[in-house]
Each structure stands twice: as structure tokens, then as C-alpha cells.
Amino acid sequence: MKTILCCLCLLACAAVSLAAQGGGKKEKGRPDLSGTWQLDRSKSEFGVFVERPVAHAEVTLAIEHRDPELKIRRTLKVRGREETAQLVYHTDGRGETNPGLFGVARVESKTSWEGNKVVARTRLKRKGLRGDADLELTEKWQLSGDSKALTYTSVLLGEFGESQVKLVYRRGAPSGGRD
């Protein structure tokens, strides 16, 4: 009888332990976006920017990701002009300020995890032809299941409607570099 009670007690403990762990499923850790990434223009969608020079730029991202800090060194080469920007995001929601493209603006955002995506949300005021315009920018970074592609999407909402850009990056290093 003691043996049966002991076995039942062990089974009950095991069941409670499995239930606490989500039925035996181990929760996946958040993805590490670290690496060197090259823009794959053939897989990207530039939206309203398709005819702009930036859609033809060579873009490299060098990412160091140690959660909650996500550091991105973004290098753009377009029409003989090169810009490198250092971007820092904090996935714990504390907020950050980063430069916009070609020094046009400073972008203040708040960043957090949404599932397996890093999401930065920004509210912007821009001077337009009809006065100040309120804009909302949402940026998302998501690693593919095989960790070979990084997809960046940005959605800009404003009085003009919605504009979306999807950039797909492939893991790789520029010539002479290492991943």
C-alpha cells in the first residue's frame, strides 16, 4: 500500500510540474537578431518608395542583440553617397531616440516584444503643405524560422493613409567581413 501511495504521489507531483511548464512544452526563447545582414531587393517591397533612390540602395545591417538592448549599425549606399547610423532599441519599453534617414529627423520610439517580433512604435509630427501632420510609425523585425532571413516592416499612418515597406535581409557579410 505504501508503494502505491508513493507512486501516486510521484505521479501527482509530475502532473503538477508538467502543468506549470505548459503541458511539457518548453517555451521558446526570444530570437537573437545578431549578425550581419544584406538587403535582398528581389524579396523586398518598397511601397511608395519604389521609384525613389533609396529603393536602389545597398543596405547592410550589423546587429548586436543582447536583450533588452538591440544595437543596429545601418549602412546605406545610394548614388555615391554613404550614410552609417548607429541605432539602439530597448525591448523593455523604456524608450529611445534614433536618427532618421540621412539626418532628416530624430525618431523617438518605444520598443517591446510582441511574440517573436521586436516592435518599435513612434508618434511623429511633420510639417506638411497643409500644416503639421500627426504620423504613427510601427517598425517590426522578425527572424525567419531557419535564422537565414530577417524581415523588417514599417507601416506609416497619417492623414494621407497608410504606407508600408517590407525589407528582407539575408544573413551574410560584405566582402572582407565576417558574420
Side-chain angles (χ1 to χ4, degrees):
M1 185 70 167
K2 280 186 180 179
T3 305
I4 293 172
L5 284 175
C6 194
C7 285
L8 287 174
C9 192
L10 285 173
L11 285 173
C13 287
V16 168
S17 177
L18 282 174
Q21 294 175 9
K25 292 180 184 176
K26 185 179 177 187
E27 185 175 305
K28 282 188 174 182
R30 292 182 170 147
D32 181 357
L33 307 182
S34 296
T36 301
W37 302 92
Q38 300 291 320
L39 179 64
D40 182 344
R41 280 194 295 279
S42 70
K43 302 281 186 203
S44 298
E45 299 167 10
F46 295 93
V48 297
F49 300 103
V50 72
E51 298 297 324
R52 305 254 175 142
V54 74
H56 304 285
E58 292 177 40
V59 184
T60 302
L61 303 178
I63 299 178
E64 290 180 37
H65 187 189
R66 290 181 183 86
D67 214 28
E69 189 172 76
L70 176 65
K71 291 182 182 180
I72 302 173
R73 188 178 73 239
R74 178 186 64 208
T75 303
L76 287 94
K77 295 179 186 175
V78 60
R79 291 187 172 174
R81 186 174 173 191
E82 182 176 316
E83 177 192 82
T84 298
Q86 303 292 334
L87 311 168
V88 178
Y89 297 89
H90 303 284
T91 61
D92 57 9
R94 74 179 92 156
E96 55 273 331
T97 302
N98 286 299
L101 287 176
F102 295 107
V104 173
R106 304 287 298 163
V107 179
E108 294 181 13
S109 57
K110 292 211 179 216
T111 305
S112 62
W113 283 99
E114 290 184 11
N116 64 350
K117 296 176 189 169
V118 173
V119 179
R121 297 184 189 283
T122 304
R123 288 192 162 305
L124 302 166
K125 277 208 180 287
R126 283 290 179 113
K127 296 215 182 279
L129 296 174
R130 296 182 232 159
D132 286 348
D134 290 324
L135 306 171
E136 291 180 29
L137 173 66
T138 302
E139 300 174 279
K140 296 181 183 181
W141 294 266
Q142 183 174 18
L143 196 59
S144 64
D146 63 4
S147 299
K148 292 182 181 179
L150 176 67
T151 301
Y152 165 85
T153 56
S154 69
V155 176
L156 186 62
L157 293 171
E159 65 184 33
F160 52 81
E162 180 179 300
S163 174
Q164 182 170 324
V165 172
K166 179 176 106 175
L167 304 178
V168 178
Y169 293 87
R170 296 285 174 212
R171 198 176 281 281
S175 58
R178 287 178 44 198
D179 191 32

